[in-house]
Amino acid sequence: MSTRWLDDTEMTAWLRLAAVLELLPGVLDSQLRRDAELTHYEYFVMAMLSEAPERTLRMTALAQRTNATLPRLSHVVKRLEDRGIVERFPCPEDARATNARLTAAGWKKIRATAPGHVATVRRHVIDVLTREQIAQLADITGAILKSVDPEGHLSELYQR
């Protein structure tokens, strides 16, 4: 079996993607910590709850949507609970399950935080691309998601 080495163009594309994967999370996290005292992951948890019916999801569904283990998610939700942003309660349909819900304070927090987050996303990703490049980026990331998420757990969330 011979190795299919990357050619110069492929290597450039890969290294640039790797650099974006390394640098962009820090850019997003820095803005959210500075402006809202939230980590990017905490914001992501809140965003997933904000888009759910009644701003509520089972913890297992929330873990799946945020690509987290239940222990990691529980730790983050506990921090958000301590701040009055999220609350947990037994699932009415299945008492063995636990739901997480964005509180009124959490809804207010995400509404106040979203404009700065969107401005950061625009500044560093969207506005540096042409409309054609944005469409290409959607296609490219869709193709990569199919490869790294073959069961479509995260891919199906991003079909708008």
Side-chain angles (χ1 to χ4, degrees):
M1 177 177 194
S2 70
T3 302
R4 289 183 53 220
W5 297 107
L6 302 179
D7 65 28
D8 288 345
T9 302
E10 293 167 336
M11 182 64 84
T12 298
W14 166 244
L15 291 175
R16 288 180 180 177
L17 176 60
V20 167
L21 293 172
E22 289 298 319
L23 296 172
L24 187 59
V27 168
L28 298 173
D29 206 55
S30 292
Q31 178 271 319
L32 287 165
R33 284 180 186 273
R34 181 188 67 239
D35 296 347
E37 298 177 340
L38 292 169
T39 66
H40 185 256
Y41 184 72
E42 289 168 338
Y43 179 83
F44 189 40
V45 167
M46 293 172 62
M48 291 298 101
L49 289 172
S50 76
E51 294 181 4
E54 299 180 34
R55 300 182 189 114
T56 303
L57 287 169
R58 281 190 187 187
M59 288 288 288
T60 52
L62 185 55
Q64 187 176 28
R65 288 184 186 198
T66 60
N67 195 36
T69 63
L70 277 173
R72 177 185 184 209
L73 178 63
S74 291
H75 179 73
V76 170
V77 168
K78 173 71 171 122
R79 286 197 319 256
L80 294 172
E81 272 184 308
D82 291 346
R83 295 172 63 185
I85 293 171
V86 172
E87 60 188 356
R88 283 187 276 195
F89 60 95
C91 177
E93 294 86 27
D94 181 357
R96 298 170 297 170
T98 301
N99 285 353
R101 176 173 43 221
L102 200 59
T103 64
W107 177 240
K108 184 177 177 181
K109 178 84 167 168
I110 198 147
R111 288 179 49 217
T113 303
H117 178 65
V118 170
T120 301
V121 169
R122 281 199 162 283
R123 178 175 173 222
H124 294 287
V125 180
I126 302 301
D127 291 346
V128 299
L129 302 173
T130 66
R131 292 302 294 171
E132 181 182 10
Q133 289 172 321
I134 291 168
Q136 291 169 342
L137 180 61
D139 290 343
I140 290 164
T141 54
I144 294 170
L145 272 172
K146 283 181 184 174
S147 173
V148 298
D149 184 21
E151 294 177 9
H153 295 296
L154 293 179
S155 303
E156 64 191 34
L157 294 175
Y158 303 105
Q159 301 300 320
R160 292 192 181 215

